[in-house]
Amino acid sequence: MGLKESFLKYLGVTLDRSLTFKAHVKKTCETGEVEAEAADAGEVEKEHIISHKNTNRADHGPVITKVYWVLPYSPKKRAKMTVVYCPIIRSVEDPLCMKEQDEVQKGAKEDGNNEASMDFIRDNRSELVQRMGRQVINQVIDELYSKNVLNIEEKDLILGTVLSQEKARLILGYIENKGTAACHLFLNYLKRYDQYLFEDLKWTSKITNVKKYEEKDVETIAEDLRNLYLSSAFQKFHPLGEEIDIIFDLETTFSDAVFWKKNTNNHTIGQLMFQDLLGELKNLTVIEGEAGKGKTTLLKRIASLWASGKQPSLNHFKLVFFISLRSMRKGLYESICEQLLREPYSLDSLTFMKTIEYLERNVLFCLDGYDEFKPQDYPETSRLFTKNAQYKHMVVLTTRTESLSQVRSYADLLVKIGDLSYGSAQMLIQNVLEESLANSLLTQLEQSSIMKEMMKTPLFVVIACAIRMGDNGFIPKTQTALFHTLHKLMIDKNHYKTRDLPEEHIIESVKHCGDLALDGIFEPKFDFYIEDLSSQREERLLLAAGLLNKYSSQRLKPVYRFFHKSFQEYIAGRRLHELVTSSSMTEVSKGQVYLQKVNTISDITFKYQNLLLYTCGSSKDAAAEIIKHIAGVRDHGTLSQFLDENQGTVNVETQMQSSEEVEKLKLINMNTLVECGLNFVYESRSESALATEFEAFLQGKTLHINSHYIPDYLFYFFEHLPNCFRALGLIQLEFFGNSSPSNGKEIKKPESDIQMQPVTQALIPEPAIKLFYETPWNQTFNTLQVTLRDFPGLKPKEIKCIGKICCSALSLRLYISKSAGITGKLHKILNTCARNVQDLVIESTPLTEEDEQQIVKMSQLKTLHLNDLRSEQIDGGFIDGMHCLKNIEKLVLENVKMNDTDVKKIAESLKNFSSLSVFHLAQLTGLGSGIEQLVEEVSSGICNLKEIKLASCCLTGRAVTTLAQNLHNLQKLKVLDLSGNNLAEEASSAVSELVDQLTVVSGLKVLMLPFGHNVNGCLEKLTIQLKSLTNVTKLGLQKWSLTDLDLDLLASLVISEHLESLQCLDLAENSVTNKGWIAFFGALRSREPVGLFKLTFLDFSSQVELYPEAFMVKEFVQWIVKLRFIQEVVLMKWMFDEYDMKMIKNAKTTQKREFQLRLTETCT
């Protein structure tokens, strides 16, 4: 066979010499043009490959870099000549290329001919499309591109495709077209990067090998697992390493924890006990817990209970696998054998894995320590939770809080381990220590609130027990002190083992141990090897001291670990403290390099919080460096810990540039940062030494305090650093008259507050009075926001207490909600703080005449918000005295009972409000000409208004026309809400005139329009105006009698890349049919990303009962699940049946979408 024939065979091309053809190839290359023409079969052999040679390679001579393959041309058919361009890096003369050919030929002999590879791909195409993940596809693409199977255009096209299924379809199409050799290479790389998928498909493709699992195989595995879980080796373990003589026994030391059930938005929705949790396990249950909360012990307890057969809720599982993700070294089968069974195991990999596959939900995987796991290194294992719906096993996955965002979106049940109760801590201490030692430690617990706080974490209870065994009198005041004492105890206890080593060597080895821990935190890395240690003497010292533990069983290379991740964080923090406070500039610079890696607020509050805590706790000087550093951090990061993300690499802020959600998340992040800063300084126990640094850190920030749980560290700060709190921009203080929020759907209080704090009898807790009135007697805060919610009554003493707290700030914001007990007493509270109250918000709380008169006396008020006040207006009350509020900037009156005369009085008062920027009036009935007078004053230009809301307040066509004519006076307007107003016959002309003038308010963000007869005739004009209103985030066309054609007009506006910032869309009570909705959803889905993808709220309720067709439901579901930020969907009078609801539910579950769906009751 000639050289060219060999080359063609390598490409998978067969020549047909029977055809005569002509070809003309013209291609501009680096050194000019290449042209060739073939006229007969004889020339085919000579000219069928036209190549451009690059002669820059001196090592192997000329190398073909571009090849053009000319397909046969039939003169009878006069078909167009087809030229296929095939990029080749090396020619067949190149020894490197010849070596690759040998490898391909060798592989073909081992696995059969190459045709089998192509058949295999075709037979399993559907499975490959669905199961090849994005990462595997990208790895295979890189390999195929490096071997020139794919050219750069093909590679870029595949990599630029978003959906993994589409990526898979593209690469499979290319590979099949390139021939059998390309197919064979593809399968080789698939086997390399996803062996489980390759082997699974290989198994199922061999029909003779497909059979149901054998019961005896299952019993064999189950028996081996039970023997392990009930053995002493599994039941009893050293939580602090073997050097500390504390042994946990799952039967005696396990204490049932309290669990807090959460939704995927990370909001607490209920409480579970351990037994409840076992009964509620879902396909994927994610258990979140801080360091040392007992996550590992919990999973071991589940495995132990299954093995014992004593837990009915676990008995339906045929197999339970407890797997330490931290200890994984190989694939899933190999890790199971290494950790739980034996190597080699009696069942081979394929039989074992296929048996597990058939058992589906009858297999429970307990996967421990996602935060110490690298999913990209173990794709087979990670698919157990990332693609749980496909693999159909039950999985319980534990992780620390800082890693929760990476798996939260996959969870079917999300649970957080709560604090250890005082009774459970007592029991744990009594089970671990001898009676005398246990009693002395419990006595100290009673006397120390700091110790009680730390004992909420099981790990710290165990450490306290270890310290008590070595030092009877020690009382730790901080977490760092606890670990520091343990560290010293371990080294001192084992000093005799290393007495022969020089002191300098011991010091250097401990330093190097700190470097290992510190580097491991940032890499992250929790397993170390002999090459990470500087010498055998260092290994001996660190093992002897118990600083590291060695694991060598069934391993080719021993692994070294710290006994717990928290201990590694402490050692790392201890070392970072040494670096940043060192007298050596080299070490200081090294410490600063580490600090610069902590460059976002999310790094501080989540990722490296414990590292920074232990660094601050190690010395005052180190704490000063840390506080200075975090004070300068401005970047929030991706905020992924707060938001449900399906794609871990998505930058949340990029996708939500105009969303209010980003600002809310940033506010939460900043509040968390303040708490972290308080903890860092408190951990350092530096009293006033850090006043300068801490004041700079707190500058302009917000501190949130729940009055029913005021932590000890706040009293510490108010006593030692009172001046620092004046730097705060805002202190928020919440009082709850009832022990729990009135909205039972969501528990807002921190878990520890509910679990540990007894409900005080006083509605105004004594600690709050002490904190804000007694302690800072000589200090005044800048701005204080006090919220009083659900107060059934107030005693005279409590009214005085509220007054004392309110007068502690220069500026006061007072929020009162659902507190009938304050009625008739509000004027006393307001009289106490009349000098400093600037914002007053009252919701669902009746007012007496005295209360109303006191409100209008406060001329310094800047914000007044009254909501849900349905009592008759009193002569001489609020409405009559409103004109006195001359400094008012925001006036909101919603659902406040008033008549036409009252509205006219408000209109007159507006003439005095030159600073007014926000005016809301809503939910009024029975008005006449008063509303027209009000609109005339509102739009006159006297006020510099940015927000106007006149919703459901009897607007007339004349009033809207007046507003339209005066809209030029309101050029700074951002919000215009006229929804809920029926203009009847005047609607068409009035709304048309208003729409004509909208361009003068180019910065408009909210536009909610009234309705009435033929108002939908204004839609075409409105869509034209909306093209120039690029900032609109909320649009309302409720009751506009929109038809299918109208909806099509809106869809055209969206797909032409307008309304891209829209977050709220209200199209309620219109007349759209199934056909219109199908076209609408189909048009929106045709875009990428989908149309209106930033929506957080939508209302598509129907005017009449709408019975959705199956195809319409499918179109809706496929669109709605692609809205990443959707929170609420309202579809009243959409008459879904049970199958429609199942489809919606399944789509939400599969796509991990958590949004509230409001339907007509008969549908739900």
Side-chain angles (χ1 to χ4, degrees):
M1 185 183 292
L3 181 61
K4 289 181 179 177
E5 284 80 4
S6 300
F7 184 72
L8 290 173
K9 183 175 181 181
Y10 178 66
L11 292 177
V13 177
T14 303
L15 278 177
D16 185 351
R17 297 172 184 262
S18 64
L19 294 176
T20 301
F21 70 96
K22 291 184 178 180
H24 182 78
V25 181
K26 190 170 184 178
K27 182 78 174 181
T28 302
C29 301
E30 297 169 6
T31 58
E33 295 181 345
V34 175
E35 297 185 7
E37 185 171 315
D40 56 49
E43 289 181 294
V44 170
E45 189 173 356
K46 298 178 182 178
E47 302 293 339
H48 62 280
I49 296 177
I50 300 99
S51 62
H52 165 65
K53 294 187 177 182
N54 180 352
T55 58
N56 294 330
R57 282 272 304 272
D59 51 351
H60 294 296
V63 178
I64 297 174
T65 57
K66 292 184 175 66
V67 174
Y68 305 93
W69 169 248
V70 184
L71 296 182
Y73 162 68
S74 172
K76 294 181 180 179
K77 295 183 180 179
R78 296 290 178 186
K80 289 185 178 180
M81 174 59 59
T82 304
V83 179
V84 180
Y85 167 53
C86 305
I88 301 294
I89 297 297
R90 296 185 292 275
S91 75
V92 289
E93 294 96 332
D94 191 332
L96 296 176
C97 184
M98 297 296 288
K99 180 180 178 182
E100 287 172 11
Q101 292 182 64
D102 291 341
E103 290 176 358
V104 172
Q105 292 172 0
K106 181 180 178 182
K109 290 177 181 177
E110 290 177 356
D111 289 342
N113 55 42
N114 286 351
E115 281 76 7
S117 297
M118 181 175 286
D119 292 340
F120 181 88
I121 291 174
R122 288 173 177 167
D123 292 342
N124 294 282
R125 182 182 179 86
S126 177
E127 286 287 319
L128 288 167
V129 167
Q130 295 301 322
R131 295 175 62 183
M132 275 199 306
R134 177 175 298 149
Q135 182 178 350
V136 172
I137 292 173
N138 291 345
Q139 289 170 324
V140 172
I141 289 169
D142 290 339
E143 294 286 2
L144 293 176
Y145 175 68
S146 71
K147 303 299 184 190
N148 306 297
V149 177
L150 295 175
N151 61 41
I152 190 167
E153 292 88 351
E154 293 165 340
K155 174 179 75 78
D156 290 345
L157 180 60
I158 300 171
L159 292 177
T161 303
V162 177
L163 295 177
S164 59
Q165 289 91 343
E166 292 302 319
K167 282 177 175 281
R169 290 188 182 98
L170 277 175
I171 191 172
L172 293 176
Y174 286 138
I175 293 304
E176 289 183 56
N177 288 336
K178 292 177 185 293
T180 55
C183 291
H184 185 82
L185 276 174
F186 168 80
L187 290 179
N188 280 346
Y189 295 131
L190 177 65
K191 183 177 180 180
R192 178 185 300 179
Y193 292 111
D194 196 341
Q195 185 175 359
Y196 177 74
L197 175 58
F198 177 83
E199 295 291 349
D200 189 49
L201 294 179
K202 186 176 178 182
W203 174 285
T204 55
S205 67
K206 297 177 181 178
I207 299 175
T208 56
N209 286 339
V210 177
K211 58 181 179 180
K212 287 193 173 182
Y213 68 89
E214 295 185 12
E215 193 65 36
K216 64 180 181 63
D217 292 339
V218 177
E219 285 302 321
T220 298
I221 301 170
E223 187 63 25
D224 289 340
L225 290 172
R226 287 191 183 95
N227 289 338
L228 171 69
Y229 297 151
L230 296 176
S231 67
S232 294
F234 187 85
Q235 293 269 327
K236 300 177 181 179
F237 56 97
H238 294 82
L240 303 182
E242 295 183 2
E243 291 299 325
I244 300 295
D245 190 24
I246 290 181
I247 298 177
F248 259 25
D249 189 328
L250 291 176
E251 288 297 321
T252 58
T253 55
F254 182 83
S255 176
D256 286 357
V258 172
F259 300 89
W260 297 98
K261 193 175 178 180
K262 296 187 172 188
N263 60 23
T264 51
N265 290 327
N266 214 29
H267 296 150
T268 304
I269 57 176
Q271 178 178 304
L272 293 172
M273 298 306 291
F274 179 61
Q275 297 296 326
D276 302 325
L277 174 65
L278 295 182
E280 288 197 26
L281 293 179
K282 304 294 184 185
N283 296 342
L284 174 59
T285 301
V286 175
I287 298 179
E288 165 205 359
E290 299 292 347
K293 285 293 187 183
K295 299 181 292 295
T296 302
T297 306
L298 171 69
L299 292 192
K300 295 189 80 170
R301 177 65 171 164
I302 291 174
S304 175
L305 283 173
W306 169 78
S308 70
K310 297 177 182 178
Q311 184 62 42
S313 55
L314 297 176
N315 288 344
H316 69 281
F317 293 116
K318 291 184 177 293
L319 300 172
V320 173
F321 297 103
F322 169 82
I323 299 174
S324 170
L325 296 179
R326 175 182 185 175
S327 302
M328 289 202 71
R329 295 293 171 272
K330 305 169 186 175
L332 183 59
Y333 168 76
E334 291 82 4
S335 295
I336 290 173
C337 292
E338 179 184 358
Q339 294 186 32
L340 306 176
L341 304 172
R342 55 187 176 275
E343 293 183 299
Y345 193 55
S346 55
L347 297 179
D348 62 86
S349 172
L350 289 179
T351 304
F352 190 94
M353 298 307 294
K354 188 54 64 176
T355 298
I356 292 175
E357 178 184 337
Y358 280 126
L359 289 173
E360 295 186 343
R361 302 295 182 211
N362 291 315
V363 176
L364 174 64
F365 282 95
C366 297
L367 306 180
D368 182 45
Y370 175 81
D371 49 287
E372 301 178 67
F373 177 62
K374 295 182 179 179
Q376 66 274 17
D377 292 344
Y378 307 99
E380 180 185 3
T381 303
S382 64
R383 279 195 295 271
L384 288 174
F385 45 87
T386 60
K387 296 190 176 181
N388 182 266
Q390 294 178 22
Y391 289 84
K392 300 180 181 177
H393 300 311
M394 298 284 280
V395 178
V396 181
L397 177 70
T398 64
T399 184
R400 280 175 52 162
T401 301
E402 62 266 26
S403 302
L404 178 63
S405 62
Q406 299 170 31
V407 293
R408 188 170 70 230
S409 62
Y410 302 117
D412 299 296
L413 174 63
L414 180 59
V415 171
K416 180 176 181 179
I417 300 181
D419 291 336
L420 198 64
S421 67
Y422 181 65
S424 295
Q426 278 184 309
M427 186 184 77
L428 190 55
I429 291 169
Q430 290 167 344
N431 286 333
V432 168
L433 292 178
E434 295 178 0
E435 184 177 355
S436 59
L437 293 177
N439 290 337
S440 65
L441 180 56
L442 290 172
T443 300
Q444 284 186 354
L445 278 180
E446 290 291 341
Q447 298 170 352
S448 171
S449 60
I450 297 171
M451 279 281 282
K452 279 185 180 178
E453 189 67 27
M454 285 193 288
M455 292 305 104
K456 293 177 182 179
T457 301
L459 176 65
F460 297 154
V461 176
V462 177
I463 293 175
C465 290
I467 294 171
R468 178 47 48 102
M469 292 166 66
D471 183 352
N472 231 1
F474 175 72
I475 304 177
K477 295 183 178 181
T478 65
Q479 292 180 33
T480 310
L482 206 62
F483 274 119
H484 174 77
T485 308
L486 177 66
H487 180 271
K488 186 175 183 298
L489 180 68
M490 293 166 76
I491 290 179
D492 290 348
K493 178 183 176 183
N494 297 291
H495 181 66
Y496 73 94
K497 298 179 182 178
T498 56
R499 205 174 293 160
D500 57 317
L501 296 178
E503 188 66 25
E504 315 85 65
H505 179 76
I506 295 175
I507 293 172
E508 285 303 313
S509 293
V510 172
K511 276 187 180 181
H512 187 234
C513 182
D515 290 331
L516 286 179
L518 192 52
D519 288 332
I521 295 299
F522 284 98
E523 285 188 32
K525 182 178 180 181
F526 307 102
D527 289 346
F528 305 93
Y529 300 93
I530 189 65
E531 54 267 26
D532 295 319
L533 306 178
S534 60
S535 65
Q536 289 185 341
R537 284 201 304 177
E538 181 174 291
E539 176 197 25
R540 175 190 159 201
L541 185 144
L542 297 180
L543 292 177
L547 297 181
L548 287 179
N549 294 326
K550 183 177 181 180
Y551 303 89
S552 57
S553 176
Q554 295 185 343
R555 298 174 187 271
L556 294 175
K557 292 175 64 176
V559 173
Y560 302 84
R561 299 179 190 142
F562 296 91
F563 76 81
H564 196 279
K565 186 178 177 182
S566 292
F567 190 59
Q568 179 175 342
E569 289 171 326
Y570 164 73
I571 296 294
R574 178 189 177 97
R575 179 58 178 151
L576 184 56
H577 135 259
E578 292 172 352
L579 292 174
V580 297
T581 59
S582 173
S583 57
S584 165
M585 288 306 299
T586 303
E587 290 209 329
V588 171
S589 298
K590 183 178 178 181
Q592 289 300 321
V593 169
Y594 284 116
L595 278 184
Q596 294 309 312
K597 295 179 181 179
V598 186
N599 54 16
T600 70
I601 293 174
S602 296
D603 285 344
I604 298 165
T605 57
F606 284 87
K607 197 171 184 181
Y608 303 119
Q609 179 184 357
N610 288 336
L611 169 68
L612 299 177
L613 181 78
Y614 295 131
T615 306
C616 290
S618 297
S619 76
K620 298 176 184 179
D621 293 337
E625 292 298 319
I626 297 300
I627 296 299
K628 280 192 288 187
H629 175 74
I630 67 175
V633 175
R634 297 287 183 269
D635 183 13
H636 279 267
T638 63
L639 304 176
S640 60
Q641 65 273 14
F642 300 115
L643 196 68
D644 172 23
E645 292 184 71
N646 274 349
Q647 299 177 12
T649 59
V650 172
N651 188 310
V652 178
E653 293 180 54
T654 300
Q655 298 225 11
M656 297 180 67
Q657 290 172 353
S658 61
S659 174
E660 295 177 3
E661 285 301 301
V662 169
E663 296 308 315
K664 291 179 183 177
L665 297 179
K666 285 182 177 180
L667 183 61
I668 295 172
N669 211 19
M670 287 301 296
N671 290 343
T672 309
L673 177 65
V674 172
E675 291 179 16
C676 284
L678 292 168
N679 275 310
F680 292 165
V681 176
Y682 182 67
E683 190 76 10
S684 70
R685 308 296 288 179
S686 55
E687 297 186 352
S688 59
L690 298 179
T692 302
E693 292 83 1
F694 195 50
E695 187 172 351
F697 167 74
L698 290 179
Q699 194 67 45
K701 293 183 174 67
T702 298
L703 173 64
H704 181 270
I705 302 172
N706 183 333
S707 66
H708 284 278
Y709 175 69
I710 299 178
D712 290 342
Y713 64 70
L714 281 180
F715 292 98
Y716 173 87
F717 284 113
F718 275 53
E719 179 180 352
H720 295 289
L721 297 165
N723 290 329
C724 294
F725 282 87
R726 294 196 62 181
L728 284 166
L730 175 66
I731 298 177
Q732 296 174 324
L733 177 62
E734 285 189 288
F735 293 97
F736 296 96
N738 294 326
S739 58
S740 61
S742 58
N743 179 7
K745 292 183 179 179
E746 187 173 303
I747 299 171
K748 298 281 188 182
K749 296 181 185 179
E751 296 89 340
S752 56
D753 307 355
I754 305 168
Q755 185 177 332
M756 294 295 294
Q757 298 298 319
V759 177
T760 176
Q761 294 300 312
L763 296 178
I764 306 299
E766 202 66 40
I769 302 168
K770 180 181 178 183
L771 186 69
F772 283 90
Y773 188 68
E774 295 177 15
T775 304
W777 61 271
N778 61 344
Q779 299 295 331
T780 304
F781 306 113
N782 282 330
T783 303
L784 178 64
Q785 178 178 306
V786 176
T787 299
L788 305 172
R789 195 185 310 276
D790 296 315
F791 273 73
L794 275 177
K795 298 175 182 178
K797 180 182 178 181
E798 291 173 329
I799 294 172
K800 287 184 70 175
C801 291
I802 292 175
K804 291 177 185 294
I805 292 170
C806 289
C807 72
S808 63
L810 295 174
S811 174
L812 175 68
R813 302 176 185 175
L814 183 59
Y815 289 23
I816 300 171
S817 177
K818 299 178 181 178
S819 297
I822 293 179
T823 301
K825 302 168 185 175
L826 177 62
H827 65 280
K828 296 180 180 179
I829 298 173
L830 293 178
N831 187 49
T832 306
C833 54
R835 296 182 180 182
N836 64 340
V837 64
Q838 294 195 352
D839 296 354
L840 178 61
V841 178
I842 302 174
E843 296 179 347
S844 304
T845 302
L847 301 176
T848 63
E849 182 178 355
E850 287 179 294
D851 293 336
E852 292 190 13
Q853 290 174 346
Q854 182 61 45
I855 290 173
V856 296
K857 285 179 183 178
M858 298 186 296
S859 58
Q860 78 283 1
L861 266 185
K862 291 184 177 180
T863 298
L864 178 62
H865 184 144
L866 302 180
N867 192 5
D868 290 333
L869 303 180
R870 300 304 299 160
S871 55
E872 296 286 344
Q873 291 301 316
I874 309 163
D875 289 338
F878 164 72
I879 296 293
D880 290 332
M882 184 188 293
H883 63 276
C884 298
L885 303 176
K886 296 183 179 181
N887 293 308
I888 201 76
E889 295 176 2
K890 297 180 181 179
L891 180 59
V892 178
L893 305 173
E894 296 189 350
N895 198 23
V896 177
K897 191 169 185 178
M898 60 182 76
N899 56 33
D900 203 51
T901 303
D902 296 327
V903 173
K904 289 179 179 179
K905 290 178 182 179
I906 293 174
E908 286 297 316
S909 297
L910 288 175
K911 296 177 181 179
N912 300 312
F913 300 161
S914 58
S915 300
L916 192 68
S917 62
V918 175
F919 180 67
H920 291 186
L921 190 65
Q923 300 180 47
L924 300 179
T925 57
L927 301 185
S929 60
I931 195 67
E932 294 174 358
Q933 181 181 340
L934 179 74
V935 170
E936 191 169 342
E937 292 298 337
V938 164
S939 60
S940 65
I942 294 175
C943 310
N944 191 21
L945 285 170
K946 294 181 181 178
E947 292 187 21
I948 296 176
K949 180 179 179 181
L950 300 171
S952 301
C953 59
C954 305
L955 279 182
T956 63
R958 181 179 174 186
V960 173
T961 300
T962 300
L963 180 62
Q965 293 169 349
N966 293 337
L967 209 56
H968 62 276
N969 295 326
L970 302 167
Q971 294 186 20
K972 293 185 179 180
L973 198 64
K974 303 291 183 186
V975 174
L976 179 59
D977 185 353
L978 309 178
S979 61
N981 291 288
N982 186 356
L983 306 186
E985 298 297 326
E986 300 174 309
S988 181
S989 59
V991 172
S992 179
E993 190 166 350
L994 178 64
V995 170
D996 284 337
Q997 300 301 316
L998 286 177
T999 51
V1000 302
V1001 284
S1002 57
L1004 201 64
K1005 290 186 175 182
V1006 175
L1007 179 60
M1008 309 289 284
L1009 294 172
F1011 62 94
H1013 185 64
N1014 287 335
V1015 72
N1016 61 334
C1018 305
L1019 183 63
E1020 187 171 356
K1021 187 183 293 186
L1022 177 62
T1023 56
I1024 294 172
Q1025 298 290 63
L1026 286 173
K1027 291 179 181 179
S1028 60
L1029 297 175
T1030 57
N1031 297 314
V1032 172
T1033 60
K1034 186 175 182 179
L1035 177 65
L1037 305 176
Q1038 190 183 66
K1039 297 184 179 180
W1040 263 47
S1041 301
L1042 297 178
T1043 64
D1044 294 354
L1045 290 177
D1046 295 329
L1047 203 60
D1048 189 53
L1049 192 60
L1050 276 177
S1052 299
L1053 182 67
V1054 173
I1055 62 178
S1056 61
E1057 299 185 357
H1058 295 96
L1059 297 181
E1060 290 200 331
S1061 299
L1062 202 65
Q1063 298 171 32
C1064 300
L1065 179 59
D1066 187 348
L1067 301 180
E1069 298 188 59
N1070 284 295
S1071 307
V1072 183
T1073 69
N1074 275 278
K1075 183 179 178 181
W1077 286 120
I1078 290 171
F1080 182 70
F1081 297 135
L1084 297 185
R1085 286 205 308 116
S1086 66
R1087 285 195 56 202
E1088 189 59 49
V1090 295
L1092 304 176
F1093 80 100
K1094 289 185 179 180
L1095 281 183
T1096 60
F1097 169 88
L1098 65 84
D1099 189 345
F1100 291 169
S1101 298
S1102 181
Q1103 187 177 26
V1104 296
E1105 289 186 352
L1106 176 69
Y1107 291 86
E1109 296 176 2
F1111 189 72
M1112 193 266 270
V1113 176
K1114 188 175 181 181
E1115 286 287 315
F1116 166 72
V1117 168
Q1118 290 179 349
W1119 172 67
I1120 198 72
V1121 296
K1122 291 186 178 180
L1123 304 184
R1124 294 179 50 76
F1125 311 116
I1126 194 70
Q1127 296 175 10
E1128 185 173 359
V1129 176
V1130 185
L1131 301 172
M1132 305 303 290
K1133 293 191 178 180
W1134 284 43
M1135 311 308 288
F1136 291 119
D1137 61 28
E1138 59 179 313
Y1139 299 105
D1140 299 330
M1141 295 306 299
K1142 284 180 181 178
M1143 179 186 289
I1144 296 171
K1145 182 180 178 181
N1146 291 339
K1148 286 176 64 177
T1149 302
T1150 303
Q1151 296 298 317
K1152 308 297 181 183
R1153 291 289 179 261
E1154 277 285 336
F1155 57 82
Q1156 181 184 358
L1157 181 61
R1158 288 170 50 198
L1159 303 170
T1160 303
E1161 288 186 9
T1162 55
C1163 298
T1164 58

